Amino acid sequence: MTIRNLDDLLAEGVSGRRVLVRADLNVPLDKQTGDITDDGRIRAVLPTLSALVQAGAKVVVCSHLGRPKGAPDPQFSLRPVAGRLGELLGAPVHFAEDTVGDSAQSTVADLADGQVALLENLRFNKGETSKDEAERGAFADQLAALGDAYVDDAFGAVHRKHASVHDVPARLPHVAGRLVLREVEVLSKLTGAPERPYVVVLGGSKVSDKLAVIEALLPTVDRLLIGGGMCFTFLKAQGHEVGTSLLEEEMVETCRNLLERSAGKIMLPVDVVAADAFAPDAAHDTVPADGIPSHRLGLDIGPETVAGFAAALSQAKTIFWNGPMGVFEMAAFANGTRGVAEAITKTDAFSVVGGGDSAAAVRALGLDESSFGHISTGGGASLEYLEGKTLPGIAALEN
């Protein structure tokens, strides 16, 4: 990767300098309590932040959280994240009540060497996500004024043309953080010459969300295992009844075409867990994938499918997994995701978990994260990288 990285910046010396770090602290919060339910993304940026703190930098962290509408919204405040980040760093994190206003400016000005500040949610400012170049640029000017150098360690946001990701690097000396560097190195292995057999597991709800990556991967993979809600559109394309399962009717013909072109690479469920309703306590049982009752909906892949997927994975030397196999948040429909994840950990393959719900499932199901070769922090970004798209955040670092 022809991009300067954190080691280059540290070699120049950062003691006493303000270093603006774009992190991805977009963590899930409990709707009732506001507590962080998964701190994986906070932990992922610790190596970069710790290195800067130890080198004596004045570290200014910025991030988004959720999808506020360009104005302050208490439910999307980063204040809980500041508390957790301080716990993990072992030192208080100073919190700015705004992003580029008086509070941000005074908080940054008061930092001592080796201290950390977290700015309020970037998306409380319209300029962060604006499609208007001038509006976005004006916000980038204000944000860049808070730093003497810029580090992008927010891989989960590099596919967005946002001010903090795309425009700020043009205004400051810029480098890739430890996380971004690792993510790109890992994904480059998958797009270069992966060791074969190369097996990809895709899940999630919609075929339309994964169509581009399926198109990109089909010529390069040896097997493509499809589960999750998206499998029902493929089953429909085979002429099977899918009951009230999630279905993208407009994608059926596309799936039929993919199956015809796949040369047998695509592997679909042979059984599913079908339920009377989308509810954790719904009556359910396992049925053949070609025999889903008309009044039921599939919420997980079945045990025969797990066994078949596990057999395919056991032969792999390289594995990429993106998307759960079922509604893993409900215990009754988590066995498919757990079974596939455990099958991946039992192989000798180089395995990559493609962020998003897959990474959340690994942690929610209590699986050993170290059993996987790499767990990405960016679901959308990892997919777009594999599709061969230019990622605005990466392109900005290369300039």
Side-chain angles (χ1 to χ4, degrees), residues 30 145 207 234 239 242 278:
D30 185 282
V207 177
F234 278 94
V242 297
F278 187 87

Side-chain angles (χ1 to χ4, degrees), residues 42-194:
I42 303 175
R43 289 185 285 112
V45 77
L46 291 178
T48 289
L49 298 184
S50 296
L52 289 168
V53 166
Q54 291 167 13
K58 299 176 179 180
V59 185
V60 183
V61 184
C62 60
S63 177
H64 71 286
L65 192 153
R67 297 179 181 271
K69 306 297 184 182
D73 185 337
Q75 68 175 317
F76 296 116
S77 174
L78 280 166
R79 181 176 287 280
V81 175
R84 181 56 179 152
L85 181 58
E87 292 173 358
L88 292 169
L89 286 172
V93 168
H94 303 268
F95 183 67
E97 301 288 345
D98 54 31
T99 306
V100 293
D102 293 342
S103 179
Q105 293 172 37
S106 62
T107 300
V108 173
D110 291 343
L111 284 178
D113 295 359
Q115 290 188 332
V116 179
L118 175 62
L119 307 179
E120 185 55 285
N121 196 331
L122 289 164
R123 292 184 182 175
F124 285 0
N125 301 75
K126 290 182 179 179
E128 167 67 1
T129 60
S130 177
K131 290 182 170 56
D132 181 271
E133 300 277 345
E135 184 176 27
R136 207 175 61 241
F139 179 58
D141 288 340
Q142 293 177 290
L143 197 55
L146 298 174
D148 303 308
Y150 171 87
V151 178
D152 189 345
D153 218 26
F155 182 74
V158 294
H159 60 314
R160 306 295 187 192
K161 192 175 183 180
H162 292 170
S164 64
V165 174
H166 178 263
D167 300 280
V168 171
R171 290 157 168 79
L172 291 172
H174 50 269
V175 301
R178 299 253 195 267
L179 176 62
V180 164
L181 189 66
R182 171 64 175 160
E183 294 272 15
V184 173
E185 287 175 346
V186 165
L187 293 173
S188 294
K189 290 183 180 180
L190 302 185
T191 56

Side-chain angles (χ1 to χ4, degrees), residues 229-261:
M230 61 188 289
C231 78
F232 299 106
T233 303
F234 278 94
L235 291 172
K236 185 72 172 181
Q238 289 184 321
H240 302 318
E241 168 67 55
V242 297
T244 59
S245 304
L246 186 62
L247 176 66
E248 288 184 281
E249 193 70 54
E250 70 281 7
M251 297 296 296
V252 171
E253 187 56 39
T254 299
C255 289
R256 186 176 292 118
N257 181 262
L258 287 170
L259 289 168
E260 290 173 354
R261 292 192 286 116

Side-chain angles (χ1 to χ4, degrees), residues 285-326:
D285 54 22
T286 302
V287 300
D290 59 359
I292 301 173
S294 61
H295 65 286
R296 285 193 156 190
L297 71 163
L299 295 181
D300 196 11
I301 59 173
E304 284 189 39
T305 300
V306 171
F309 282 11
L313 290 164
S314 70
Q315 305 298 315
K317 294 298 183 184
T318 305
I319 297 170
F320 176 73
W321 168 36
N322 179 278
M325 298 292 98

